[in-house]
């Protein structure tokens, strides 16, 4: 799959006793790659005169990161997964792992 923001390079899945685990290798394209770069904390504590300034900067970046991960999750259609991890492999290439409870997959309660 390829759209203007994400290209899926590889994907696979497996079942264990309790979960279906789906893995993807994706490439971020264009503006989405820039959004990911904007989530990085390029500064550290010594760049700020007060702890409050640092905390404000740090929390803003954490918020951007969460929004970015939610956007990727939505673009990939993985909103219903019980667990979602997005990690940078190299440059614009990322690994995604999404886990689904097998019980919930069949409409049963945990």
């Amino acid at each position: 799959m390829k759209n203007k923001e994400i290209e899926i390079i590889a994907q696979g899945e497996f079942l264990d006793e309790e979960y279906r685990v789906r893995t993807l290798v994706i490439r971020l394209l264009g503006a989405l790659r820039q959004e990911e770069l904007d989530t990085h904390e390029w500064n550290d504590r010594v760049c700020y005169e007060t702890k409050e300034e640092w905390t404000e900067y740090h929390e803003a970046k954490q918020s951007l990161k969460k929004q970015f991960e939610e956007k990727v999750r939505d673009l990939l259609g993985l909103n219903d997964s019980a667990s979602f991890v997005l990690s940078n492999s190299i440059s614009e290439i990322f690994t995604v792992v999404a886990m689904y409870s097998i019980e919930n997959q069949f409409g049963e309660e945990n």
Side-chain angles (χ1 to χ4, degrees):
M1 176 192 111
K2 183 175 179 178
N3 64 33
K4 293 180 181 180
E5 298 178 293
I6 293 179
E7 177 180 5
I8 296 177
I9 299 169
Q11 61 184 321
E13 64 181 50
F14 64 91
L15 296 173
D16 73 2
E17 292 180 14
E18 297 180 35
Y19 294 95
R20 177 172 58 101
V21 180
R22 184 170 182 206
T23 62
L24 299 99
V25 177
I26 63 172
R27 178 177 177 219
L28 302 183
L29 304 172
L32 191 61
R33 173 63 173 143
Q34 185 60 50
E35 279 184 51
E36 190 276 329
L37 290 172
D38 291 343
T39 69
H40 290 243
E41 290 186 20
W42 302 109
N43 299 339
D44 60 18
R45 172 63 181 95
V46 298
C47 296
Y48 298 90
E49 291 185 21
T50 67
K51 183 178 179 181
E52 290 77 24
E53 289 174 318
W54 161 248
T55 300
E56 183 179 327
Y57 170 78
H58 175 72
E59 288 175 355
K61 290 295 183 174
Q62 291 299 309
S63 176
L64 284 175
K65 184 174 183 174
K66 184 176 180 179
Q67 291 171 23
F68 170 76
E69 288 179 353
E70 288 173 1
K71 182 174 184 176
V72 170
R73 190 175 187 162
D74 185 52
L75 287 168
L76 293 172
L78 300 174
N79 293 322
D80 59 342
S81 61
S83 177
F84 177 86
V85 177
L86 174 68
S87 60
N88 185 237
S89 299
I90 187 168
S91 188
E92 75 273 15
I93 308 301
F94 287 73
T95 301
V96 174
V97 178
M99 295 176 62
Y100 300 84
S101 169
I102 291 173
E103 290 179 358
N104 286 342
Q105 182 177 342
F106 298 107
E108 300 173 12
E109 301 261 339
N110 277 341

